[in-house]
């Protein structure tokens, strides 16, 4: 997926006016990168947000089974991402020597319900908000592992775009009034959105890498996000930059 395609995927959610449209719109975007079913669970709402606690396209039978077995209390995918930022593939967890017997059983039962391979992704922010996103793919574990470097970037941007688009609907106040970026911060965001590394941004803007990192960190703090890629997604949805 090209940089322009990434931007297009983000902008699909920037004009959301009806919360009911989020689920089908996200499903269509995820289908383009091979996601067969997904789940979005708000663990902790951000202050001022009134997001739905749960959205899913997982099979109803699996959801009922998951609840009946009380897997939410021990789900290894949720625990694996709770302290980090990166998505984690399920096959990585299942083959981990420290995986519990109950955890392995959950993965096997998920396959029995058609969830063959997948990933779980944390979404931190804004503020103290925390959401967990899970995606099951229409391919086997080996094929997902092979294609993961490309899929990972696309998945993150689509999900973050949907998350920020949803927050624009759910927040009680308009985020545009709360986020003000300087010209230099906007420049750093813009070149990051165009796929440039920190070193490349520094060379283009004739700044040091540390200065570019300082500007990006400042924007991340203002937006209440924890990665420069999430800041880029938010900046696009807020019309702060046009890549």
């Amino acid at each position: 997926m090209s940089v322009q395609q990434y931007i297009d995927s983000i902008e699909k959610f920037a004009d959301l006016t009806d919360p009911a449209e989020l689920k089908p719109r996200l499903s269509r975007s995820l289908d383009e990168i091979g996601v067969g079913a997904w789940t979005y669970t708000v663990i902790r709402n951000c202050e001022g947000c009134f997001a739905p606690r749960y959205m899913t396209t997982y099979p109803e039978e699996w959801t009922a089974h998951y609840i009946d077995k009380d897997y939410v209390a021990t789900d290894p995918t949720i625990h694996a991402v709770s302290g980090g930022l990166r998505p984690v593939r399920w096959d990585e967890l299942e083959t981990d020597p420290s995986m519990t017997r109950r955890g392995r059983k959950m993965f096997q039962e998920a396959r029995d319900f058609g969830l063959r391979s997948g990933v779980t992704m944390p979404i931190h922010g804004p503020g103290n908000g925390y959401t967990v996103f899970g995606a099951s793919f229409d391919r086997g574990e080996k094929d997902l592992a092979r294609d993961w470097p490309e899929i990972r970037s696309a998945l993150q941007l689509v999900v973050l775009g949907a998350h920020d688009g949803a927050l624009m609907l759910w927040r009680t106040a308009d985020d545009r009034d709360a986020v003000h970026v300087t010209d230099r911060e906007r420049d750093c965001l813009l070149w990051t959105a165009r796929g440039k590394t920190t070193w490349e941004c520094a060379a283009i803007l004739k700044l040091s890498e540390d200065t570019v990192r300082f500007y990006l960190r400042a924007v991340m703090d203002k937006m209440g996000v924890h990665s420069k890629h999430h800041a880029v997604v938010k900046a696009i949805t807020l019309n702060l930059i046009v890549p």
Side-chain angles (χ1 to χ4, degrees):
M1 183 178 282
S2 69
V3 171
Q4 186 57 51
Q5 287 174 310
Y6 289 149
I7 294 167
D8 290 344
S9 69
I10 295 167
E11 291 180 339
K12 289 178 182 178
F13 305 99
D15 62 348
L16 279 172
T17 57
D18 181 1
E21 176 60 19
L22 174 62
K23 187 174 179 179
R25 193 176 297 194
L26 179 53
S27 290
R28 289 193 295 270
S29 294
L30 291 170
D31 182 67
E32 293 175 3
I33 55 177
V35 173
W38 56 270
T39 184
Y40 175 101
T41 306
V42 177
I43 304 297
R44 183 174 58 248
N45 257 322
C46 63
E47 184 178 354
C49 296
F50 299 92
R53 300 298 298 179
Y54 184 68
M55 291 188 294
T56 189
T57 63
Y58 280 178
E60 291 183 6
E61 296 82 1
W62 166 248
T63 301
H65 180 78
Y66 183 92
I67 294 172
D68 181 62
K69 294 293 185 179
D70 194 28
Y71 280 138
V72 68
T74 57
D75 188 335
T77 69
I78 293 177
H79 290 282
V81 300
S82 62
L85 296 174
R86 73 180 185 91
V88 177
R89 293 200 323 270
W90 299 345
D91 65 291
E92 294 178 307
L93 297 176
E94 191 174 8
T95 57
D96 189 314
S98 66
M99 178 56 57
T100 65
R101 181 179 299 178
R102 180 173 169 81
R104 295 185 196 281
K105 182 180 179 183
M106 188 199 79
F107 284 121
Q108 181 58 56
E109 291 175 353
R111 279 194 288 270
D112 292 341
F113 282 89
L115 306 177
R116 295 189 301 156
S117 65
V119 301
T120 298
M121 169 182 165
I123 308 173
H124 297 277
N128 65 342
Y130 178 52
T131 299
V132 173
F133 183 86
S136 173
F137 285 81
D138 294 327
R139 66 188 76 194
E141 293 175 349
K142 291 183 178 179
D143 290 338
L144 178 59
R146 181 196 62 213
D147 300 333
W148 179 233
E150 180 180 354
I151 292 173
R152 173 178 171 173
S153 297
L155 177 68
Q156 285 180 296
L157 284 172
V158 167
V159 173
L160 291 176
H163 183 67
D164 277 333
L167 288 178
M168 293 293 289
L169 297 172
W170 294 331
R171 291 189 66 86
T172 57
D174 191 343
D175 278 340
R176 291 187 181 94
D177 294 335
V179 179
H180 302 281
V181 300
T182 67
D183 289 342
R184 277 305 193 192
E185 290 167 351
R186 185 177 288 103
D187 289 341
C188 292
L189 282 170
L190 180 61
W191 286 108
T192 300
R194 291 175 177 171
K196 302 301 182 183
T197 65
T198 302
W199 182 88
E200 290 170 326
C201 290
I204 292 168
L205 299 173
K206 295 181 170 49
L207 301 171
S208 70
E209 285 187 75
D210 285 342
T211 300
V212 171
R213 291 191 189 98
F214 172 82
Y215 284 131
L216 289 173
R217 171 54 62 184
V219 172
M220 289 159 54
D221 289 343
K222 290 177 181 180
M223 293 180 174
V225 299
H226 298 267
S227 75
K228 64 181 182 180
H229 302 295
H230 197 169
V232 165
V233 169
K234 197 172 187 73
I236 293 172
T237 60
L238 294 174
N239 293 319
L240 294 174
I241 59 172
V242 180

